[in-house]
Amino acid sequence: TAQAMINDLLTIRADRENYYYGYDDLFTRHPEVIQRLCADAANLLWPLLDGLIWRSRLAMAGQRRVNYYVKHLMQDGEGKMNKAMEWLADNKDPKIICHPAVVMFSD
């Protein structure tokens, strides 16, 4: 399914020498992925945005380290402002706008 492909691309993997994460490849090959999902498969936006967040499995003093991979949502391949926020706003889904990854790159 499409959701399984998105989950697979956005899973961080490692071997002894390298880490592998399909985030850069996805947004380099399909810079308009947010626009396409808004138009044709809005139910896949949440899994995509979840895949842009890494949460540590360890908690220290009740806090957990989190990395947000939102570079491609803020900036396109040419270094200009990406239209992802515009596409998400045009989608008019308040749940997606409240997603932690969207909140992070909108701030």
Side-chain angles (χ1 to χ4, degrees):
T1 66
Q3 183 172 344
M5 290 177 13
I6 288 172
N7 291 340
D8 188 52
L9 275 172
L10 298 178
T11 298
I12 297 174
R13 294 182 174 84
D15 61 20
R16 292 181 182 201
E17 298 177 12
N18 289 315
Y19 284 94
Y20 303 95
Y21 184 44
Y23 165 71
D24 284 324
D25 297 330
L26 174 65
F27 281 92
T28 300
R29 179 87 167 109
H30 303 286
E32 76 297 337
V33 67
I34 299 292
Q35 181 183 26
R36 295 286 301 183
L37 291 180
C38 284
D40 300 328
N43 61 321
L44 295 175
L45 280 170
W46 197 270
L48 175 83
L49 294 170
D50 276 345
L52 304 181
I53 300 173
W54 173 85
R55 293 172 180 91
S56 174
R57 60 182 173 81
L58 305 174
M60 300 177 105
Q63 295 186 337
R64 186 179 308 268
R65 206 172 94 196
V66 177
N67 291 342
Y68 292 89
Y69 296 92
V70 295
K71 176 181 88 171
H72 294 292
L73 298 179
M74 298 170 57
Q75 182 178 357
D76 66 13
E78 299 171 357
K80 298 178 183 171
M81 182 99 169
N82 194 324
K83 293 186 178 184
M85 181 54 80
E86 181 181 330
W87 296 328
L88 291 170
D90 289 346
N91 193 36
K92 297 180 181 171
D93 183 352
K95 289 183 181 179
I96 291 295
I97 294 296
C98 293
H99 190 282
V102 176
V103 170
M104 174 60 76
F105 87 85
S106 68
D107 285 347

